[in-house]
Amino acid sequence: MMAMALIGVMLWTQWQHDYPASQHSSAPAVSQGGQAASTGFVPAPAAVVENGSHAAVKVPQTSTTAETASGYIQVNTDVLHLRISKLGGNVVMANLPRFPVSLQQKNTPMTIISSKPGQYYVLKSGVTSQQKAKPLVYSSRARQYTLVAGKKQLTVVLSANNGVTRVTKTFRFYPGQYHVTLDTVIENVSKKPWAGSFYHQIARQEPEHHYTSMAYNGGAVSSAAIPYQKVKYKDMLKNNLSLSTRGGWVAMQQHYFLSAWVPNQHHTHIYYSGVSPNSVAHGAVYNLGFTSSLIKLKPGQSKENSSMFYIGPENIKALSALAPGLNLTVDYGILSPISMAIFWCMKEIHHFVGNWGWAIILITMLMKLALYWPSAMSYRSMARMKMMAPRIKSLQERYKDDKQALSKATMELYKTEKVNPMGGCLPMLVQIPIFIALYWVLIESVQLRQSPFIFWIHDLSVKDPLYILPILMGGSMFLQQKLSPAPADP
């Protein structure tokens, strides 16, 4: 009973962690003529100015058709294949050549970012403005860029001028890296003062639900107060997020992969969310992003902003180096410290054996060895309780009409024989969180995706195609049950 109660408490705590009460501001984002953006842009919240007041800032609107018609710039590295739309300078496609869709489609890379209707998922950035101006159409020296082997960096420069502002975006790509740095410079080329903000936004249609995976699929935001907070699609439908914080980041997650915008960690930004219900065919678009504080430029003045985006696997080591808390998107739940320790040990074992399947087997054996003492205590206690069963039965017959006397006599017997009736249960409870933590490591570790083991097992992240392992597991559990001592009191 105590084991069931403990498991119930742990499940309830995990539920509260995964489905917390909404803490988002219910204040709506600043409207732009009452219309949602045609590609999932939502009006950004008010930007903070130096005196603490707010001023409305409007996010520009474009259409999917216009983005496609304007053309794009192709950028290829050894780990990323990107398309940047000339209209808006947004990332509208991203493939991961080192991660094929499946073992049956080894030549088809995993697509994370896409502007296709029904799969709309785009990373946007630029400048907002209080003044009306033509959309920014960027140009570059070439239509295709490739990071040459041996080079430490690939720089792609885009520039646009709409008669009011001149905006220059400088993307920097690195070999073997899934993060890209972005420097944006805005210059007021008009004869009037200009006011606005830099913005960075992820616009995504809600993907189809895959009930075979328990991994989180949705948005996330980080702040100084909460390093990692899930922003579920249903939460975005209820309330618009409005949060001012120093540093932070926003991300969209799916099983094994994510995209994220990371601003300058020394500056304060306004984080927001919103939903465009009729933005693109095939469903609503969920928007998560941040804006800088309001900036004011006199004619001829300019301002620079630095940021970074990440499109790739949920790798703890890589994400830890980019921003505080970004590694928490590898979501191990409330047992994260235990899970991280288990994964570290499993990774070290993999360095020696070179196979994730054997690494899982060896880490499980090591865990059982580490838990041998509490397991032995539990079995010894259950054996002693079994030996005392006839004496307890005798007491039950003697005091069958006096429950109070039976309880007192039973406790005196336990005390005399120095037996703890819970001794067989409590040591087993120690093992429960450890093996739950191992379970989450196996679910969340991208290293297991399409990783082979032996014989017929070619992918450790999917079910056994021949169902041999489930049968062996069921048989071993049945045998273990037969070998375990029977309970003292049925």
Side-chain angles (χ1 to χ4, degrees):
M1 289 298 294
M2 285 192 64
M4 293 298 295
L6 180 61
I7 293 173
V9 170
M10 293 178 67
L11 289 173
W12 172 254
T13 305
Q14 184 65 43
W15 179 273
Q16 293 296 316
H17 177 267
D18 291 339
Y19 301 94
S22 177
Q23 299 178 355
H24 303 162
S25 169
S26 59
V30 181
S31 64
Q32 182 171 336
Q35 298 296 324
S38 54
T39 60
F41 275 111
V42 294
V48 179
V49 294
E50 290 74 15
N51 60 8
S53 62
H54 294 72
V57 177
K58 297 178 180 180
V59 172
Q61 301 183 36
T62 57
S63 67
T64 307
T65 304
E67 280 186 340
T68 305
S70 65
Y72 57 84
I73 299 157
Q74 181 75 36
V75 184
N76 297 328
T77 73
D78 55 334
V79 297
L80 279 174
H81 292 172
L82 295 182
R83 285 182 182 177
I84 303 173
S85 171
K86 291 185 177 181
L87 181 61
N90 303 313
V91 179
V92 295
M93 190 278 288
N95 290 337
L96 307 180
R98 290 189 179 179
F99 290 90
V101 172
S102 65
L103 293 176
Q104 293 72 33
Q105 298 174 287
K106 292 184 178 181
N107 297 324
T108 304
M110 184 77 180
T111 298
I112 304 297
I113 305 301
S114 174
S115 59
K116 295 181 180 179
Q119 304 174 11
Y120 194 80
Y121 184 1
V122 173
L123 269 61
K124 306 187 177 187
S125 65
V127 291
T128 66
S129 176
Q130 295 174 310
Q131 295 92 350
K132 290 185 178 181
K134 295 179 180 179
L136 290 168
V137 179
Y138 289 83
S139 60
S140 62
R141 291 185 177 181
R143 289 196 59 183
Q144 182 167 332
Y145 294 83
T146 300
L147 179 59
V148 180
K151 294 290 184 179
K152 296 183 178 180
Q153 179 179 299
L154 171 64
T155 302
V156 178
V157 181
L158 279 65
S159 60
N161 189 333
N162 60 7
V164 177
T165 56
R166 180 187 295 116
V167 179
T168 303
K169 290 186 176 184
T170 303
F171 297 85
R172 292 184 175 87
F173 299 82
Y174 309 94
Q177 301 296 320
Y178 293 94
H179 73 274
V180 180
T181 59
L182 172 62
D183 294 327
T184 306
V185 178
I186 180 172
E187 180 184 359
N188 183 2
V189 295
S190 69
K191 297 181 180 180
K192 298 180 180 180
W194 181 91
S197 298
F198 294 101
Y199 75 89
H200 300 78
Q201 180 175 285
I202 305 175
R204 184 186 187 188
Q205 285 182 279
E206 183 176 1
E208 295 181 1
H209 295 284
H210 297 282
Y211 296 102
T212 56
S213 172
M214 295 180 63
Y216 175 63
N217 200 321
V221 64
S222 176
S223 65
I226 306 177
Y228 172 63
Q229 180 180 2
K230 293 177 180 177
V231 186
K232 301 177 183 293
Y233 296 119
K234 63 179 181 180
D235 293 336
M236 288 190 244
L237 285 171
K238 294 177 182 177
N239 298 307
N240 289 336
L241 174 69
S242 181
L243 171 68
S244 175
T245 186
R246 182 184 177 92
W249 45 263
V250 293
M252 285 288 188
Q253 297 178 235
Q254 63 192 70
H255 197 196
Y256 295 136
F257 303 97
L258 84 157
S259 67
W261 274 113
V262 181
N264 188 313
Q265 296 296 292
H266 301 291
H267 297 165
T268 297
H269 298 83
I270 314 298
Y271 288 81
Y272 65 90
S273 70
V275 182
S276 303
N278 300 312
S279 54
V280 184
H282 303 95
V285 171
Y286 296 80
N287 307 274
L288 198 58
F290 55 85
T291 66
S292 67
S293 298
L294 184 68
I295 54 178
K296 297 180 179 180
L297 299 178
K298 296 179 180 179
Q301 286 186 329
S302 62
K303 183 74 173 180
E304 183 176 0
N305 177 271
S306 296
S307 62
M308 178 193 310
F309 65 84
Y310 179 93
I311 304 172
E314 292 179 336
N315 184 296
I316 293 179
K317 184 178 180 180
L319 296 174
S320 299
L322 300 182
L326 192 56
N327 61 303
L328 297 177
T329 53
V330 183
D331 184 21
Y332 293 139
I334 59 174
L335 299 173
S336 288
I338 302 176
S339 295
M340 288 182 178
I342 291 174
F343 177 75
W344 181 85
C345 293
M346 195 167 74
K347 184 176 64 173
E348 293 301 311
I349 294 173
H350 178 263
H351 288 331
F352 290 97
V353 299
N355 184 293
W356 284 105
W358 289 116
I360 293 171
I361 291 175
L362 290 174
I363 190 64
T364 305
M365 294 175 64
L366 288 175
M367 290 167 59
K368 293 295 289 184
L369 183 63
L371 295 169
Y372 172 78
W373 182 75
S375 297
M377 282 185 59
S378 176
Y379 286 124
R380 280 196 294 266
S381 178
M382 286 190 291
R384 293 187 66 184
M385 286 295 295
K386 185 178 181 180
M387 293 174 61
M388 292 179 60
R391 299 174 65 181
I392 294 175
K393 186 176 182 180
S394 177
L395 291 176
Q396 290 172 345
E397 292 176 354
R398 184 185 306 175
Y399 299 104
K400 61 182 178 180
D401 297 325
D402 190 346
K403 292 185 177 181
Q404 186 174 358
L406 174 62
S407 177
K408 183 178 180 181
T410 303
M411 294 307 295
E412 288 178 354
L413 177 61
Y414 288 151
K415 186 175 181 180
T416 302
E417 298 295 332
K418 297 181 180 179
V419 174
N420 184 353
M422 301 304 299
C425 179
L426 293 178
M428 300 297 290
L429 296 180
V430 177
Q431 305 182 42
I432 294 176
I434 297 176
F435 281 97
I436 290 178
L438 174 61
Y439 172 74
W440 281 106
V441 168
L442 300 182
I443 286 180
E444 287 290 322
S445 299
V446 68
Q447 289 81 358
L448 303 183
R449 183 180 185 270
Q450 298 179 6
S451 181
F453 181 34
I454 56 174
F455 306 130
W456 72 97
I457 303 173
H458 305 296
D459 187 348
L460 289 171
S461 66
V462 300
K463 65 181 181 181
D464 182 348
L466 303 180
Y467 298 97
I468 295 176
L469 291 181
I471 294 173
L472 291 176
M473 181 179 178
S476 65
M477 292 181 67
F478 178 78
L479 181 61
Q480 185 177 7
Q481 184 180 8
K482 287 296 182 181
L483 293 175
S484 299
D489 187 353

